[in-house]
Amino acid sequence: MQETLKNWLNGAVPHMVELQKLLTAHPAIAPESGGSGEGRKADALVGWLRAHTPFIVETFPVKDERVPEGVRPNVLATLPGKDRSRAFWVLTHLDVVPPGDLSQWNTDPFALLEKEGRLYGRGTEDNQQGMVSSIFAALALTEQNLIPPMDVKLLFVADEEVGSTYGIKALLKEYPNLFGRADSFLVPDGGSPDGSIIEIAEKSLLWVKFIVEGKQVHASLPHLGKNAFLAGCDLVLRLAKGLSTRYPEKDPIFDPPLSTFSPTKKEANVPNVNTIPGIDIFYFDCRVLPRYPLDDVLITMDSLAREIEKEYGVTVKREILQKNESAATPSSSTLVKNLKTVLREVRGIEGKEVGIGGNTVGVFLRQKGWDTVVWSTIEERAHMPNEYCVIDNMVKDALVMAQLMLFTDL
Ligand SMILES: [Zn+2]
């Protein structure tokens, strides 16, 4: 079985490259990043799927007045299984980040170039590699007349690069019946060059803006004012120390194993040296182990802010810019076990479960209780100039996905 699938996939390489070329030719950049969305790319993909596969193809538009079509596209291709009440999902994203400084590219980022086993172009690795692997994995099954034990659903979402508001987040909200309770998800949008890294957890993400308000006066008479900068500095130090002390636990699957609480952005205050600043604004980026509720972190922040208010006579306000509570997919889940089995049998790789500090779409699925793994074999060229996908990785990952789709008990 494995040999037959492998041979078919190896023979399909020219078609995989063709599809990569088609997808690369349609820049799918978010309006926030100066683009007009994923509309054309989604149309091209839907056309290709209808022409070359027997999958049921549906679209789930999400309203967005900023793009020419007035909606952001989300595309679903279904290969029906024996048990139609459950599904194994492979989720990839349609959008890409802008190419950036063009002088750093050796070729046109939106014209695919094949060279020495690599495909160059924006989006070729992030996330078209996973997208094309998943399509050809499912196609390999239909070509062998294999009916998967449960539905195989390939979901191509919009808006992953700038927060998923019009992608997976909207689908979960606007089309909740799309997903079944017993479903599980593979997200091939992260991983490692040797294919061993299986991401099963992410730290919760919290971005907070702090606004310290004091009283602005001439710097020769500081006692008449309230120095917001000084109070702000004290608050930064108390937050950095206080939060790490209050949330000290380590989890070795993460690198670093600790929760992190980092002061980052700082807004300019007064333009001149001889004024006591009346306002001070700074930001914290917090990556917190899933075991600590973010509401608890906010309560700790507030109690430290109240101390500063009392001692300095200032007021401290805070705004939440991002708050994504995370949950982990257990190592003991069938999904993780199956992936490790397939990796061992198909590739001779020992899979290793890890947690990461960033946020992928996995976070939104795990929040809802679905087992989700982020895995692929990638060179990690995402967002860089001269982004490329290694053809061999795309083909090998397709074989792993095809085998996973055949597992009876996901
Ligand atoms: Zn990506």
Side-chain angles (χ1 to χ4, degrees):
M1 174 60 52
Q2 193 187 306
E3 271 317 295
T4 325
L5 290 171
K6 193 176 172 180
N7 290 339
W8 186 85
L9 285 166
N10 283 332
V13 168
H15 304 294
M16 293 170 123
V17 174
E18 263 316 296
L19 180 54
Q20 272 271 23
K21 188 175 177 182
L22 177 74
L23 296 168
T24 307
H26 299 284
I29 296 167
E32 287 91 332
S33 309
S36 53
E38 306 83 353
R40 282 158 178 271
K41 186 168 178 177
D43 288 346
L45 176 64
V46 168
W48 192 94
L49 289 168
R50 293 210 165 117
H52 297 93
T53 77
F55 310 151
I56 304 160
V57 181
E58 299 163 276
T59 54
F60 295 89
V62 174
K63 229 179 168 175
D64 185 354
E65 304 296 349
R66 298 170 304 169
V67 296
E69 301 86 359
V71 291
R72 302 288 286 277
N74 292 279
V75 178
L76 174 63
T78 303
L79 169 59
K82 288 176 190 147
D83 176 0
R84 303 247 25 219
S85 71
R86 292 200 296 161
F88 171 61
W89 296 75
V90 186
L91 192 163
T92 50
H93 61 87
L94 289 161
D95 56 320
V96 300
V97 295
D101 181 5
L102 285 176
S103 71
Q104 295 202 40
W105 284 80
N106 299 328
T107 57
D108 177 351
F110 297 108
L112 188 91
L113 176 85
E114 182 178 354
K115 199 180 158 195
E116 288 155 3
R118 293 170 172 179
L119 302 174
Y120 288 86
R122 175 55 86 226
T124 49
E125 187 179 69
D126 180 18
N127 196 202
Q128 289 156 208
Q129 180 184 317
M131 189 180 293
V132 173
S133 294
S134 71
I135 292 168
F136 279 81
L139 209 46
L141 304 189
T142 63
E143 290 292 324
Q144 311 304 320
N145 296 313
L146 295 168
I147 300 170
M150 66 187 82
D151 279 6
V152 167
K153 289 184 180 274
L154 312 179
L155 182 60
F156 314 102
V157 294
D159 199 32
E160 190 274 342
E161 297 289 359
V162 281
S164 293
T165 308
Y166 302 91
I168 190 66
K169 273 168 102 171
L171 291 178
L172 290 167
K173 218 173 15 187
E174 296 177 26
Y175 305 96
N177 298 330
L178 207 52
F179 309 97
R181 240 7 302 160
D183 296 356
S184 58
F185 295 81
L186 170 68
V187 180
D189 189 24
S192 57
D194 67 357
S196 68
I197 297 298
I198 303 171
E199 189 227 297
I200 57 166
E202 301 177 17
K203 288 179 184 171
S204 298
L205 179 74
L206 181 64
W207 286 357
V208 185
K209 174 183 185 181
F210 290 92
I211 305 148
V212 181
E213 284 172 6
K215 190 178 172 207
Q216 180 178 319
V217 290
H218 194 282
S220 64
L221 302 164
H223 59 289
L224 297 181
K226 283 163 186 160
N227 192 327
F229 179 39
L230 186 61
C233 289
D234 198 346
L235 180 56
V236 167
L237 292 171
R238 284 188 209 198
L239 286 167
K241 263 191 215 150
L243 293 166
S244 321
T245 313
R246 179 93 173 69
Y247 308 102
E249 283 179 36
K250 292 183 182 177
D251 184 338
I253 71 163
F254 290 100
D255 178 25
L258 288 159
S259 303
T260 57
F261 305 94
S262 307
T264 52
K265 183 170 160 179
K266 173 84 181 75
E267 287 186 16
N269 51 27
V270 289
N272 54 313
V273 180
N274 58 348
T275 294
I276 299 284
I279 191 151
D280 191 62
I281 300 173
F282 60 87
Y283 299 73
F284 260 71
D285 173 304
C286 310
R287 317 268 164 154
V288 185
L289 294 186
R291 69 192 64 180
Y292 296 125
L294 292 180
D295 282 335
D296 195 77
V297 173
L298 288 165
I299 290 169
T300 306
M301 287 177 166
D302 288 344
S303 78
L304 293 167
R306 297 298 84 80
E307 285 177 24
I308 294 294
E309 287 182 331
K310 237 190 240 163
E311 287 176 37
Y312 291 84
V314 296
T315 57
V316 181
K317 292 181 195 145
R318 66 158 164 82
E319 285 170 25
I320 296 169
L321 305 182
Q322 281 246 46
K323 183 178 176 232
N324 286 331
E325 200 96 39
S326 204
T329 292
S331 291
S332 58
S333 64
T334 316
L335 175 65
V336 175
K337 283 191 194 155
N338 289 350
L339 178 55
K340 290 180 85 170
T341 305
V342 171
L343 282 176
R344 202 175 298 127
E345 286 174 1
V346 175
R347 302 262 294 265
I349 296 171
E350 259 334 290
K352 182 174 173 278
E353 298 98 308
V354 302
I356 61 164
N359 260 196
T360 70
V361 294
V363 107
F364 307 113
L365 299 164
R366 294 193 194 106
Q367 268 170 10
K368 303 258 177 196
W370 280 298
D371 286 345
T372 304
V373 293
V374 177
W375 168 86
S376 61
T377 310
I378 48 165
E379 300 273 297
E380 300 175 281
R381 311 300 299 177
H383 302 206
M384 293 184 184
N386 304 309
E387 176 180 349
Y388 64 81
C389 141
V390 174
I391 295 174
D392 202 36
N393 289 343
M394 183 166 64
V395 181
K396 282 181 177 165
D397 284 8
L399 182 59
V400 170
M401 290 180 199
Q403 294 284 351
L404 264 182
M405 289 168 184
L406 289 173
F407 254 95
T408 43
D409 193 18
L410 273 163

